[in-house]
Amino acid sequence: MSMYLEIPEFESEFRFRTFLNDGLTIVYPHVHKEIEIIYAKRGTVNIGVDDTIIELEEGDLYLFSSGQPHYFLASPESERYVYQFDMQLFEEPLLRENEVSLMTLFEEGEPHSKNWPASFTEKITGLLIELYQLEEENVVGKRYLTLGLLYQLIGECYQGLPKRKQAVNPLKRTAAQYKETLQRLNDVFEYIESHYQEVLTMEDTARHVGFSPHYFTRFFKTNTGKTFMQFLTEYRINQAKFILANEKIPMAEVAEKAGFASVKTFHHVFKEAVGQSPLQYQKQLNQN
């Protein structure tokens, strides 16, 4: 399974799970169609969201909408609760009246709890703690109790989740909306993951998945919102960011491990995309 595209392994058809990760558990850039909520239980949790590194202070929450690219950096002396659930758990056609869809609710909602009203943060935090505690117990009616808490969490989000200041491009979500499309795209992402350190062309990738270059070009742009080369470049930059944040190696080695043909190309492409050189980016991380 591609590390860029994640299909969470739920224990059953009941598509909810929660678990605790320590700060040394690092996770490469990935997307999935499920909603994910992070609760910084202890210490500072460093996460990458698109092109931004965000620090979650102890007690902070962060909400990832469906298809939101993210990753986790090494965050010593920290712990985080992770919650993932599929929106298919909720009978939207039956429950929704004049509300926006769940997809829209989470896409347009402010993801970071530092920008939420204190009372709303307190309610959501309490529900998340209950969900984790319930998951650790072996009680009769556990799934009904879990669903009850999840429905309450959704209701509270409809009432109190503020709108995010900057809109998200919905094209980024298209690739994560349908399982069949996810599975087909996964073949593409796995191929990219296996070959991004080499000379990799759109034609080679199209041939690997059995598409003509013309069809592949349209399929990929429709389902990711990017051209193949834009995606590949972004993928390599994300790998470079991850390496710069977690390894102390020469820039030539960073460039090679991230799939760039030369240090010069790496420096130019990285600075153009991020707004600062790789070395400046690494120094800034070390100062935080």
Side-chain angles (χ1 to χ4, degrees):
M1 182 61 61
S2 167
M3 284 187 290
Y4 192 84
L5 179 71
E6 176 185 286
I7 299 181
E9 296 181 4
F10 297 101
E11 292 183 0
S12 68
E13 291 302 310
F14 189 71
R15 300 185 63 77
F16 165 81
R17 67 175 184 170
T18 178
F19 49 91
L20 181 67
N21 275 343
D22 64 38
L24 297 181
T25 302
I26 56 179
V27 181
Y28 283 87
H30 66 285
V31 298
H32 46 72
K33 69 184 179 67
E34 291 74 17
I35 300 300
E36 181 169 318
I37 302 175
I38 304 301
Y39 170 38
K41 177 179 182 287
R42 179 173 64 87
T44 300
V45 177
N46 298 307
I47 59 176
V49 184
D50 290 327
D51 296 324
T52 306
I53 303 297
I54 295 174
E55 280 191 354
L56 297 189
E57 300 296 334
E58 188 169 311
D60 278 1
L61 307 174
Y62 201 93
L63 191 158
F64 296 109
S65 57
S66 178
Q68 175 73 54
H70 58 283
Y71 54 97
F72 292 87
L73 304 174
S75 307
E77 306 299 321
S78 74
E79 291 181 312
R80 60 184 181 265
Y81 288 128
V82 180
Y83 303 82
Q84 295 175 335
F85 58 88
D86 195 313
M87 288 183 286
Q88 291 181 355
L89 281 171
F90 310 98
E91 298 183 61
E92 262 197 281
L94 176 66
L95 296 169
R96 184 154 51 92
E97 295 180 319
N98 299 319
E99 299 91 349
V100 298
S101 69
L102 283 175
M103 180 76 73
T104 301
L105 172 69
F106 289 119
E107 281 188 346
E108 295 184 351
E110 167 57 45
H112 197 164
S113 64
K114 73 175 185 178
N115 299 316
W116 297 353
S119 59
F120 176 67
T121 302
E122 185 177 351
K123 288 178 183 177
I124 298 301
T125 301
L127 289 169
L128 292 174
I129 291 173
E130 283 190 68
L131 278 165
Y132 184 82
Q133 291 173 340
L134 180 59
E135 189 69 11
E136 295 293 291
E137 299 174 1
N138 185 18
V139 297
V140 177
K142 180 176 176 177
R143 289 185 179 176
Y144 288 101
L145 293 169
T146 298
L147 268 180
L149 291 171
L150 285 172
Y151 272 97
Q152 190 175 345
L153 185 145
I154 295 296
E156 294 292 349
C157 285
Y158 270 114
Q159 291 194 354
L161 182 64
K163 291 286 187 71
R164 69 166 71 218
K165 296 175 183 178
Q166 184 175 1
V168 175
N169 181 0
L171 284 174
K172 289 186 177 180
R173 306 295 177 262
T174 309
Q177 289 178 5
Y178 301 104
K179 186 175 180 179
E180 182 180 356
T181 304
L182 278 173
Q183 297 286 10
R184 297 187 72 180
L185 281 171
N186 188 67
D187 291 340
V188 178
F189 294 145
E190 281 188 334
Y191 189 73
I192 292 173
E193 182 183 298
S194 299
H195 298 277
Y196 74 91
Q197 294 175 320
E198 308 165 11
V199 176
L200 182 59
T201 67
M202 181 273 291
E203 289 78 11
D204 290 339
T205 309
R207 189 180 307 113
H208 173 76
V209 296
F211 291 160
S212 70
H214 176 74
Y215 180 82
F216 178 80
T217 298
R218 186 176 59 182
F219 172 83
F220 196 87
K221 182 67 181 290
T222 298
N223 288 291
T224 67
K226 299 178 177 69
T227 66
F228 174 78
M229 289 310 300
Q230 285 173 334
F231 182 91
L232 178 60
T233 299
E234 183 179 291
Y235 185 90
R236 285 170 168 162
I237 288 171
N238 279 333
Q239 298 305 315
K241 285 181 178 179
F242 187 86
I243 295 166
L244 289 167
N246 292 284
E247 299 184 40
K248 305 298 181 185
I249 58 177
M251 284 299 158
E253 193 173 342
V254 175
E256 182 180 358
K257 291 182 71 172
F260 291 93
S262 67
V263 176
K264 184 177 180 180
T265 299
F266 170 50
H267 186 278
H268 173 74
V269 172
F270 191 95
K271 188 170 184 179
E272 187 175 73
V274 181
Q276 54 187 171
S277 71
L279 185 59
Q280 289 172 327
Y281 177 84
Q282 189 174 53
K283 287 180 177 178
Q284 180 178 315
L285 287 179
N286 292 333
Q287 291 172 357
N288 292 335

